[in-house]
Each structure stands twice: as C-alpha cells, then as structure tokens.
Amino acid sequence: MRYLPSLLFTHRLYDTICEMQKDEHELCTVGIGGIAGDGIIETGHTLGSMLTALGYQVSASFTYPSLIRGGHNFARISFAAEKVWSDHEELDILIALNQETITLHRRELRPGGLIIVEQDEATDEQVIAIAYTEALAQAQAPRIARSSLTLGALCRLLNLPLEALYTALQKSLKKTESAANTGLARIGYTQIQSKKFHCPAPPLSPHGAKEFVNGNTAFARGLIAAGLEYYLSYPMTPTTSLLHYLARQKEEHKLTVIQPESELAVINMALGVAYAGKRVAIGSASGGFALMQEAFSLAGMAELPLVVAVSQRQAPATGVPTYSSQTDLRFCIHAGHGEFPRIVVAPGDPAEAYLAGINALNDAWKYQVPVIVLLDKILSEHAMTSELLPAQAAHELGSVAEHPDSHYGRYAMTHNSISPMAFPGTLDTAVKVNSYEHDEKGFTVEDLPSVSAMLGKRQRKGALMRKDLTSRGGIKVSGDLKSNTALLFWGSTKGPVQEAGRDLLRPVKFVQVLGMEPFDTEGVSKALDGVKTIINIEANENGQLAGLVRERTGIRASDMILKSDSRPFEAGALASQINSVLTKPL
Amino acid sequence: MSLPLSTDTPNTWCPGCSNFCILAAFRQVLEKLVAEESLALHNVVIASGIGCHGKITDYLALNSFTALHGRLVPVMSGIKCANPALTVIGFSGDGDAYSEGLEHLLHAARRNSDITLFVHNNEVFALTAGQATAASPKGFKNKASPGGSPEAPINAPCTMLGAGASFVARSYASDIALTATIMARAIRHRGFSFVEILQPCITFSDTRRERAEKIYRLDQSALCDVLSSAIERAEGADGRVPLGIFYDIEKPTFEDDLGLVTQASPQLKSRPRPRRAEARR
C-alpha cells in the first residue's frame, strides 16, 4: 500500500502507490498462520510486544474459528515508525506453520514478499525453507514451539536484534518453556543466510511507556486503576480474555474473581456485591448481556453501582462467535425494561478502553447507576501499541453517608438527587434496597406521591449525569476541522477509518462518538454543523449510529458505508469506498 | 420482645396467612441469637424474592435486599462474598425458588455458600392468584390448568441433598416452635442451609386438613450426617411428609475456598463452631 521505494520490488506498484499516497510512511506486515493449537495468537502477541519494545508502532489482528484444535488461525501484524491504526491486508512476509496457510494467504503476499515455511528446500524465490523437525529435535522443544523458530528467522530477515525476541519470549512464557523457545529462535536466526529484507526503521526517539495491548486488557487495567475489587463473568467470546486476565491479577491487585453458573447469576451476584459496598464489574458478549436484562433494570431501580463490559460479536443469536459486529448499540442504550438513567460509552482503541474502565467504575459509584462499556471483538482482542497513562488513574468513592443511624434512608432526597450510600454492617442502620418502587428508606410503595417522587429523583439524577458527562465530552473531532466532509464512526471502526484517512483524496473531518448515553447532542450537532457530506461508517446493517445521531440532533448522514458480514473493515478497501463518495458528482 | 424490628409498613398478607407464623418464628430466633450475643442486628442482611413471602423485607427493620423473582440466591451469595462478616438470610417461595430460580438454588448448594434460605412453600403462585408452581401436586386445578396441573411436584429437600447442600431441613409454618428451632440451627450452620417451610395458602390452596394427616416429625436423636439416609428420610415414608433436620454436615464454604474468610469479623467467630461431621458409615 504505502511503502517507501526501498520496500518495493516492483516499480509498477510503487508508481500506483505514489499516486495514491499523500503521507507515505514505511510499513511492514507479517502474517502468521497455522492450526488452532499452534499458538498463533500467542506468537502474534510475542512479535507485537517485541516490536513495540523496539520502538515501533504496531497494530495486529487475530482471526480464529470457534474450535479448539485444527481449523485455521491467523495473526496479522503491521508495524511502522508512525502510528498504525489498523493492520494491512497486503503481506510482506507470511509465516506458514502449515501448507493451508500458504493456500489461503499467498494471494495476499505482495510481489517480492517472502514465505517462511517448513520445507526441505525452496521451491521458488519467494520461499524460505526451514527444517522445522530437525530444529525441534536439536532444541529438544515441543511441536508448539515451532513458531519461535520462525520468529528467529524473521528477526534475521528484518535485521532485528535477537535479544529483543528473547526478552519478549521470556515475558510471555513460563520459565520452563522459555529456554527451548529461545534456543529455537537462535536456530531460526542462524538458518537464514543470504536473503535480507528491508525493515522499516524504528523512530529515532521512541517516547512514552508504550505497550502492545488489546482492548480487553486495557479496559481491565482501567478498572484496576479505579479500584476494582470484584469481577464476575461467565465465559463467552470475546470477553473470556477479560476474565482470564483479571483472574491472573487476583493476587497482585487483591481481586476476587468469580465464575458463577450463568449470566443471570453473574449480574445478580454482582448486585449483591455492590449492595455490600464493594466495587464490582461484570463482562459478557452481547448474547450474555441479553440474559441479564431484568437485573440490569434492577441496578437502575435499586441505584446500585455496576460496570458491565459488553463486547459485540457477530449476531443474532449465537452468530459467528469469534467474529465481530457493531450491531448492539441500540440494544445497549435501551437495555433493561423501564426507563432509568444509565451510562453507555463506546471506546474505539485500547487507550480509550483504559480510560473507559477508569471512568466507568468511578461514574457508577458517583451516580449509583449501571454503566455499560461497549466493546466489540476487534477492540477486545486485536492489539495495538498504546500508551495507558498511569496519571489517568483515579479512585473516586462516590457519595458515602457520614454518620448513618436509624433514620438513614438509602434513597434519601438530596439537592442533587444522589443519596449518600451506607452499607450493611453499619451500627444501628438498616440499609434497604428494593426491586419494587420504594420510598426514601427503601420500603415498597405504590401510592402516587411516593411513586412520582422516586421517579422524579431518578430522572433528575439522569439530567445531572447528562450535564456532567457531556461537559466532559462524548465525542472526538480531528482531521481537517474546516472540511465540509465528515466521517462519522464509533467503536473499533475508528482503527480502519483513521488508517484509511491517510489515503483519502481530500482532507476530511473525523467525528468519533464515544458517549452514547448520555448522548452529547450539543457536541455532535456542533461537529456536524455546516458539513455537507457526512459519511457514516459502521459494522452493521442499519446504520445504528447514524440513526441515533439523527434522532438526537436531527442531522442526517448523507452517505453510508456499512459492513455487516462479520469481518473487519480493511483500511485499503475502506479508503477506496470513501474516495468513491468523495469523487461522486454532487 | 425487645429488639426494634417492627416497621411502619402495613402488613398486607391475608388475615390468617401462615406467613405471620414464619415471621413470628424468625423474630423469636433473632431475639434469642442477639440475646446470647451470637448475632448483632446490624450484621444481619435479609433478602427476599417476589411473591407473598417477599413482603417480609418490608416488615422487618433490618438490612434488606428485595430481589427479582427467582434471583435472590445469587444476590445473597454476592453479599456474603463481598462481606463475609454479614449473616445473610433469605426468604423465598416455592414459585420463586423452585420454578423461576431453581438453577441458582442447585449451584448455591453445590458451592456451599455460607447463606441460609427459608422457602415458604405453599405449593401455589398466590400473588398472581393461584396458578401451579413446581411444588404444586399433580392434578392441582387452577385457572391456568383447569383440568389439573399435568406436572409432578419437586421434592426440594431431596434435590438439595443431591446438589450438595450441607444443611437441609423441613418445617411446618404453624409449628412456630419447630420452625424457630430449625431456623436457629440453620443460621448457626456454617455453609449453605436450606429450610423448606410448608404452609397452606388459605386463599388458593388450603391444605390444612390433609396436611395435618400427613406430616410427622423425625426422630432427631439419630445422626444427620449420612447422605443416603438423609435422602431416605427426606423422601418420607408411605407418602407422608417428614419434618425436621435431614442433614447437617460441616465442609468448606465457598467463601473459605475463595480465600475471603480471613476478613471475618468477631461476630462470625463467636458463633458456636458446628460439631464435626462423624465418620460416615
């Protein structure tokens, strides 16, 4: 796509690209394929971490079917000195741990690209043959470690220091495994003799504490930074890795992680935890969240602080479990029966997911409401070089009753409609929460004045949240702010949109919506005011964001680029689609 | 009676409802346990589901969580996990515990959450005006099944024993003394305590006469720590309905296994230690 001449072997392609590119940067893409059980995803993470440690910006995708052994797993890693928002389709190097990988991905290899594969000898000039079996025997390594051999070869090809790979392997593997893997990496490195491949140069002065991280991990780190104490979840792709990550943090961060019998148990148990005064979050795919609806509504009614991570995958029903969509925006903003204030935020990259984790937990406690952080498979599992700033960490307790006594009312009316919390176990104090409509002390009521009073209290709290949260900013606007063309998008679509943004025929304004509820009506209106062409881009069939924007602001997107086939937007194809809108006659 | 347990909420149970007996028994137990300093009121949390039984949280000035229909058990487990110093006591109904929320009951028993559940079993959905629950007898005629319910009822104590509950008992609501004795034992028990309290619904399923002929009290001098004989006892003989404690063993709780009990307050520690389970025979 936009390689500098040094990376290109054919001039024809170079010419085409020079025509298209406005701000080329050097970029390299490596694909790693094999069967489930080959450790493809782990290998991709090792490579991404290594490149990030060397100062590169990395963006990686991980594709796998819903099975445990066999099938085709594929990791694709793009890296450059500058920010890479989304990995690229065109491969420079393909690492094949089986022949099927070559069958499936050879056509994605650019002219002059190379294939690393297990073969006795090279069958053509693109193939670099490595004797896997001998190397395994030599290093006394198990079959799953073959990928380390290829990473060693890759380091040699790209002229990257083998020590960086050793460090990355040692970080990601158990001590007992890392010796065999580093041994294999060395063998792989030494097997490559003649062929050299150009590697983009890392930035001269890499700045900040960058790391290679996916959205789930970043979000979990945000929760921890805001004082998470309990995490409950029932396993479901793509939130399973969130459960696994937090379970690993149990000791270090004094977390209690529980996997109850069902999503219904998860959310009801979490409400018990919140009632007893502990900071709790739960997570599920949208299908699991569908099971939680009644209790989500209870969180609103009982004013219990709860964070829910909802990661979208392809749906309806069980759908295509390991692939993505953005089909649950409407579902989440309207989640639960009845009307009650809630927060729904949709981060678009790992750094935003980290901040969303921090804000979600603090806001849940500040306003005593359920908060949804809306993710998707791509954001949850694909990884990017990111900076998670410790300075953003904050642990806000919310409004806690100072000296509760026998007069305490869990739902006491206050100037801002937020009732100070007390928790069971407080001397002389009865803390009563209720799924029925209730009075200030939590007793069930049905009489009109009491019902109206409590409905009004929750409505006023919603209005306060709207004011506070929209002043914090629910959108991000970038690019050419004066452009009469805007790209409207949300969630992980941010990656391909930003990446496609480099290849557009004219400058545009980027409008990313993060705050879905409360919705920043004023901010979005202002951002789209006077914009002639609004191109709405999302991964669903109905343009859910475009519909929401129109509902809340009256502004209608003029063009739609929608993709609902479960596969991610490819930045290159997306740029062509946007360009065709930009060049169409008015 | 000295504890300030009463509330201003008018009681809307039907006049003559045996829920009053269950409430009376529970108040007696609280008086007793507080008097002997094995419980402090502020550390008690009661929870209820939805149904006639569920109103009990409005009638007691205690920490309370009125949950959704069928979902109080996970809420209770959550409260206990979040603060093991609390004594978490739930009130549920046969519709609430056996029809809508049965899975939670099985899993709470299996994981031995240190919580206590009293199920008001009147064998009918009373608050929705008389339909069959999972505890209604086969052939039970009601507006939703005029020809009689086609389903056989669950024997909940047997189910709980199979699921791994460490304390399983059954009482009869109008026998307030027996109910209070069993309740006190259940609350003291460390682990998941399940008590089914049979009761008539004097409006929709008045079983007083036939029940009086069928119930019998178990000989409680026998040991209650052998599962097979506990199941046998809970099944009852000749279609009759046994009352008493079927099973009472000690085993690690969910909170123990999660490593949470180190946070326990002196309150919990001062509870009498349960006797050790004898060797199984």
Side-chain angles (χ1 to χ4, degrees):
Chain A
M1 288 184 64
R2 64 190 121 80
Y3 304 97
L4 281 184
S6 55
L7 244 174
L8 288 162
F9 285 64
T10 59
H11 293 291
R12 186 186 51 77
L13 189 62
Y14 170 56
D15 292 341
T16 322
I17 280 160
C18 279
E19 273 167 25
M20 277 180 63
Q21 302 302 312
K22 296 241 158 63
D23 63 338
E24 300 107 346
H25 66 208
E26 254 184 70
L27 179 138
C28 182
T29 300
V30 178
I32 308 168
I35 58 167
D38 276 343
I40 300 298
I41 292 168
E42 293 75 8
T43 306
H45 273 278
T46 303
L47 180 58
S49 304
M50 178 191 98
L51 291 165
T52 299
L54 287 170
Y56 289 103
Q57 292 277 352
V58 188
S59 189
S61 66
F62 301 96
T63 312
Y64 59 95
S66 186
L67 49 74
I68 306 302
R69 289 283 181 268
H72 179 67
N73 283 15
F74 195 62
R76 201 171 66 186
I77 297 101
S78 292
F79 65 101
E82 295 162 38
K83 179 77 183 176
V84 184
W85 284 104
S86 185
D87 56 304
H88 287 229
E89 207 168 7
E90 193 177 55
L91 303 174
D92 293 275
I93 295 177
L94 176 62
I95 297 176
L97 293 178
N98 61 357
Q99 284 298 322
E100 188 191 20
T101 298
I102 299 177
T103 312
L104 290 171
H105 298 282
R106 183 155 198 165
R107 63 188 141 79
E108 293 153 15
L109 204 65
R110 70 166 175 80
L114 298 174
I115 301 171
I116 299 176
V117 65
E118 173 170 29
Q119 262 172 219
D120 293 335
E121 54 191 60
T123 42
D124 63 64
E125 60 173 13
Q126 281 195 292
V127 169
I128 294 179
I130 295 186
Y132 288 13
T133 317
E134 283 164 32
L136 285 181
Q138 195 185 334
Q140 294 183 309
R143 191 176 156 79
I144 194 173
R146 291 184 305 156
S147 57
S148 298
L149 182 72
T150 62
L151 288 185
L154 183 74
C155 282
R156 180 73 171 162
L157 278 177
L158 295 176
N159 198 25
L160 295 171
L162 196 54
E163 289 69 29
L165 177 57
Y166 289 166
T167 310
L169 283 170
Q170 279 153 0
K171 266 190 189 170
S172 66
L173 295 170
K174 289 185 198 130
K175 266 188 188 158
T176 48
E177 302 162 343
S178 71
N181 279 275
T182 51
L184 273 179
R186 191 173 54 251
I187 296 171
Y189 192 87
T190 50
Q191 281 204 9
I192 305 298
Q193 302 292 331
S194 53
K195 289 214 182 187
K196 287 281 169 60
F197 207 72
H198 178 84
C199 185
L204 289 176
S205 54
H207 52 86
K210 295 205 171 59
E211 54 192 303
F212 182 70
V213 66
N214 66 29
N216 274 355
T217 302
F219 169 70
R221 296 254 300 274
L223 290 176
I224 291 170
L228 183 75
E229 293 166 288
Y230 284 70
Y231 183 75
L232 289 78
S233 182
Y234 185 85
M236 188 170 182
T237 306
T239 45
T240 308
S241 64
L242 194 50
L243 172 62
H244 291 176
Y245 177 81
L246 285 165
R248 286 199 302 273
Q249 310 304 313
K250 272 163 96 166
E251 308 294 327
E252 191 178 339
H253 296 287
K254 294 193 176 68
L255 293 176
T256 300
V257 177
I258 303 173
Q259 183 203 314
E261 65 268 24
S262 66
E263 285 86 352
L264 280 85
V266 164
I267 186 165
N268 282 286
M269 209 181 262
L271 293 179
V273 171
Y275 164 72
K278 295 287 161 61
R279 290 164 89 89
V280 58
I282 61 177
S284 189
S286 2
F289 183 54
L291 282 167
M292 300 179 181
Q293 294 308 293
E294 190 188 21
F296 185 76
S297 173
L298 170 58
M301 177 57 128
E303 302 191 43
L304 291 165
L306 176 70
V307 173
V308 191
V310 180
S311 190
Q312 301 159 100
R313 62 189 216 184
Q314 207 275 339
T318 312
V320 188
T322 58
Y323 289 89
S324 198
S325 83
Q326 293 186 298
T327 50
D328 299 312
L329 172 58
R330 285 288 189 177
F331 170 51
C332 284
I333 61 176
H334 300 301
H337 58 295
E339 295 178 321
F340 55 91
R342 85 282 304 275
I343 296 171
V344 182
V345 290
D349 61 35
E352 288 172 0
Y354 172 70
L355 195 56
I358 295 170
N359 288 338
L361 201 52
N362 287 327
D363 289 341
W365 281 77
K366 183 172 179 188
Y367 301 107
Q368 302 168 26
V369 290
V371 179
I372 295 175
V373 177
L374 186 53
L375 311 164
D376 59 52
K377 190 267 171 186
I378 295 168
L379 177 54
S380 283
E381 296 190 347
H382 295 191
M384 197 184 278
T385 300
S386 309
E387 199 162 10
L388 313 184
L389 298 169
Q392 292 174 324
H395 184 158
E396 293 159 26
L397 282 180
S399 175
V400 176
E402 277 175 23
H403 305 291
D405 56 19
S406 59
H407 301 292
Y408 174 76
R410 175 63 190 83
Y411 302 104
M413 295 295 172
T414 61
H415 69 286
N416 63 0
S417 297
I418 293 172
S419 314
M421 286 179 287
F423 308 107
T426 309
L427 206 61
D428 297 329
T429 306
V431 183
K432 297 181 93 70
V433 304
N434 202 333
S435 72
Y436 283 108
E437 192 56 277
H438 40 262
D439 64 13
E440 292 183 62
K441 289 198 159 192
F443 290 103
T444 308
V445 291
E446 290 187 349
D447 66 291
L448 182 57
S450 307
V451 171
S452 305
M454 207 46 70
L455 276 170
K457 173 187 186 295
R458 290 192 296 270
Q459 278 165 9
R460 285 192 299 278
K461 199 170 76 166
L464 172 73
M465 277 164 42
R466 191 168 300 278
K467 192 165 146 258
D468 289 358
L469 295 183
T470 53
S471 74
R472 193 194 286 163
I475 59 167
K476 278 189 182 173
V477 184
S478 61
D480 179 4
L481 302 186
K482 288 182 183 149
S483 173
N484 65 1
T485 303
L487 306 181
L488 180 63
F489 54 92
W490 64 285
S492 73
T493 299
K494 175 183 183 173
V497 168
Q498 296 277 7
E499 194 67 12
R502 303 177 200 275
D503 298 347
L504 299 183
L505 295 173
R506 63 167 191 261
V508 298
K509 187 190 254 191
F510 294 80
V511 181
Q512 179 196 2
V513 182
L514 292 99
M516 299 300 180
E517 184 60 43
F519 189 83
D520 188 357
T521 304
E522 201 183 321
V524 175
S525 301
K526 218 171 131 189
L528 297 177
D529 184 40
V531 175
K532 262 183 80 193
T533 307
I534 299 171
I535 308 172
N536 177 70
I537 307 166
E538 36 184 332
N540 57 48
E541 226 171 80
N542 291 306
Q544 298 192 15
L545 175 65
L548 183 64
V549 166
R550 193 173 180 200
E551 175 191 317
R552 300 293 167 90
T553 66
I555 298 171
R556 181 179 186 165
S558 56
D559 296 271
M560 296 276 203
I561 298 176
L562 303 174
K563 188 170 177 14
S564 56
D565 63 359
S566 80
R567 266 49 177 181
F569 280 107
E570 293 287 355
L574 182 58
S576 308
Q577 279 182 285
I578 298 170
N579 281 334
S580 69
V581 176
L582 296 181
T583 51
K584 81 175 175 188
L586 287 170
Chain B
M1 297 285 169
S2 58
L3 294 175
L5 292 172
S6 300
T7 68
D8 297 334
T9 306
N11 193 311
T12 57
W13 285 329
C14 299
C17 176
S18 55
N19 277 337
F20 286 102
C21 303
I22 296 173
L23 178 58
F26 183 60
R27 290 181 67 137
Q28 280 182 18
V29 170
L30 287 179
E31 296 283 354
K32 180 171 179 276
L33 294 179
V34 171
E36 68 188 32
E37 295 185 352
S38 45
L39 210 59
L41 277 192
H42 67 276
N43 281 334
V44 174
V45 178
I46 58 169
S48 69
I50 302 299
C52 291
H53 76 272
K55 298 181 178 193
I56 200 165
T57 41
D58 278 343
Y59 306 149
L60 287 165
L62 292 170
N63 297 308
S64 66
F65 194 125
T66 309
L68 295 165
H69 184 55
R71 311 294 165 204
L72 85 158
V73 172
V75 168
M76 291 164 65
S77 294
I79 296 168
K80 186 68 186 182
C81 283
N83 184 355
L86 299 172
T87 298
V88 185
I89 301 161
F91 297 85
S92 187
D94 47 314
D96 195 73
Y98 308 157
S99 293
E100 183 83 51
L102 183 62
E103 85 258 35
H104 304 306
L105 207 53
L106 298 174
H107 290 283
R110 181 176 68 85
R111 63 171 73 99
N112 202 29
S113 283
D114 186 12
I115 57 178
T116 300
L117 188 73
F118 303 131
V119 178
H120 301 216
N121 182 2
N122 59 6
E123 303 180 340
V124 70
F125 280 115
L127 201 56
T128 51
Q131 304 79 9
T133 69
S136 302
K138 191 168 184 175
F140 173 68
K141 289 196 165 114
N142 63 86
K143 286 178 210 158
S145 35
S149 165
E151 297 174 23
I154 189 172
N155 182 328
C158 283
T159 307
M160 288 294 91
L161 287 166
S166 50
F167 183 98
V168 179
R170 185 191 276 137
S171 186
Y172 190 57
S174 56
D175 191 340
I176 295 177
L178 176 66
T179 304
T181 307
I182 291 177
M183 276 181 166
R185 281 277 297 274
I187 293 169
R188 286 178 194 281
H189 173 77
R190 207 168 167 280
F192 184 68
S193 311
F194 174 85
V195 182
E196 176 175 78
I197 306 169
L198 295 173
Q199 59 173 171
C201 170
I202 55 169
T203 304
F204 293 110
S205 175
D206 192 349
T207 53
R208 275 175 289 185
R209 186 172 300 165
E210 64 231 57
R211 188 68 87 207
E213 291 165 8
K214 281 191 173 176
I215 54 173
Y216 64 98
R217 286 179 61 164
L218 289 171
D219 172 11
Q220 297 282 210
S221 64
L223 285 170
C224 304
D225 58 0
V226 180
L227 184 61
S228 55
S229 43
I231 292 173
E232 204 174 303
R233 272 199 300 272
E235 279 173 337
D238 315 319
R240 295 171 71 218
V241 180
L243 306 177
I245 296 166
F246 304 121
Y247 197 52
D248 181 2
I249 61 155
E250 189 192 358
K251 62 178 180 179
T253 68
F254 185 48
E255 297 74 24
D256 288 337
D257 290 336
L258 283 174
L260 294 166
V261 277
T262 47
Q263 299 164 18
S265 78
Q267 210 64 48
L268 197 77
K269 287 176 192 152
S270 73
R271 276 211 238 169
R273 298 290 299 171
R275 66 190 177 79
R276 280 202 63 78
E278 311 249 335
R280 293 190 177 191
R281 284 159 293 174

